[in-house]
Amino acid sequence: MSLKLYYHPFSSYCHKAETAFYEKGLEYEPKLIDGSEPVQSEFAALWPIGRFPVLADGERTIFEATGIIEYLEVQFPEAARLIPADPLEAAEVRMWDRFFDNYVGYPQQRLVFAALGREVDDGGARWKAALDMAYEILDRRMANREWAVNTFSMADCAAAPHLLYADWSHAIGAQFSNLRAYRQRLITRPSYARALDEARPYRHYFPLGAPEGRD
């Protein structure tokens, strides 16, 4: 098997890449990054920046979850498409992919970093407000649609883990019923549910506590 995925199953960005693999029905060799050897040294040599996920395909190294999904789309065009063939629809998917990474995933991570003491913890008001704004935008977006764009896409691969952890960090309020319903569709989608199940043994690492009944 030439595809090797360096990852940790609790990482939101690794979830994003894993969901794409499972949605497309592609196999890969998992390389769990947990500090053990020889994987740790392999990964350090492959990608000294040290951020994951990273995909190795022979001599090619593909970094960042979005980059990995883009690569899989090109290499396996016969598998389920996650980026539409239509250029305008593809641009929309890429736009919402960035929305979930930047406006849901980023503020959610800041709340976690504050809990870990890696930035000033002022109660997280700034980042909670940012999430509430994103929730409001997404709730309007999801009022009359099933997925972020049209069919299940790369944008939904990003949405699933970011909304999972965002709700754990700053709950999606009851007023955002469209968004809450979308989050539920995402976490029960078989491709993401598989990634989510693989992450369950690591939930005790979540600094803010993984709430019961919101997975």
Side-chain angles (χ1 to χ4, degrees), residues 11-191:
S11 158
S12 58
Y13 288 96
C14 292
H15 278 200
K16 178 177 170 179
E18 289 177 279
T19 300
F21 272 100
Y22 299 152
E23 190 73 27
K24 294 175 79 65
L26 303 176
E27 294 185 358
Y28 63 90
E29 180 180 348
K31 293 283 190 173
L32 177 63
I33 301 170
D34 61 359
S36 61
E37 297 293 350
V39 174
Q40 195 65 36
S41 294
E42 289 176 18
F43 181 58
L46 182 70
W47 190 236
I49 288 176
R51 300 289 295 273
F52 46 74
V54 169
L55 179 66
D57 184 9
E59 297 300 313
R60 289 193 175 98
T61 299
I62 305 94
F63 55 89
E64 300 291 334
T66 295
I68 290 170
I69 297 173
E70 293 268 10
Y71 182 79
L72 295 178
E73 286 288 279
V74 174
Q75 290 292 78
F76 303 95
E78 74 286 351
R81 291 200 66 88
L82 296 173
I83 302 173
D86 177 79
L88 286 177
E89 193 174 341
E92 191 174 11
V93 164
R94 292 183 171 103
M95 178 178 69
W96 284 102
D97 170 75
R98 304 318 306 138
F99 183 96
F100 287 111
D101 279 2
N102 293 326
Y103 305 125
V104 180
Y106 184 82
Q108 185 274 323
Q109 287 183 334
R110 302 277 79 72
L111 291 173
V112 169
F113 287 166
L116 292 171
R118 292 168 59 180
E119 65 174 56
V120 175
D121 184 4
D122 60 354
R126 173 186 177 185
W127 304 118
K128 290 175 182 178
L131 283 173
D132 281 335
M133 181 180 294
Y135 293 165
E136 184 176 353
I137 291 169
L138 289 168
D139 191 68
R140 292 198 303 267
R141 173 75 180 175
M142 301 310 300
N144 296 299
R145 60 177 64 242
E146 183 178 15
W147 305 115
V149 180
N150 289 321
T151 59
F152 189 91
S153 70
M154 177 171 69
D156 303 295
C157 292
H162 290 321
L163 288 173
L164 175 85
Y165 291 131
D167 186 55
W168 289 6
S169 304
H170 178 57
I172 300 171
Q175 70 271 32
F176 303 124
S177 58
N178 299 318
L179 179 57
R180 288 163 64 95
Y182 174 51
R183 180 182 180 275
Q184 185 62 30
R185 288 194 296 276
L186 288 167
I187 63 177
T188 56
R189 179 83 174 184
S191 55

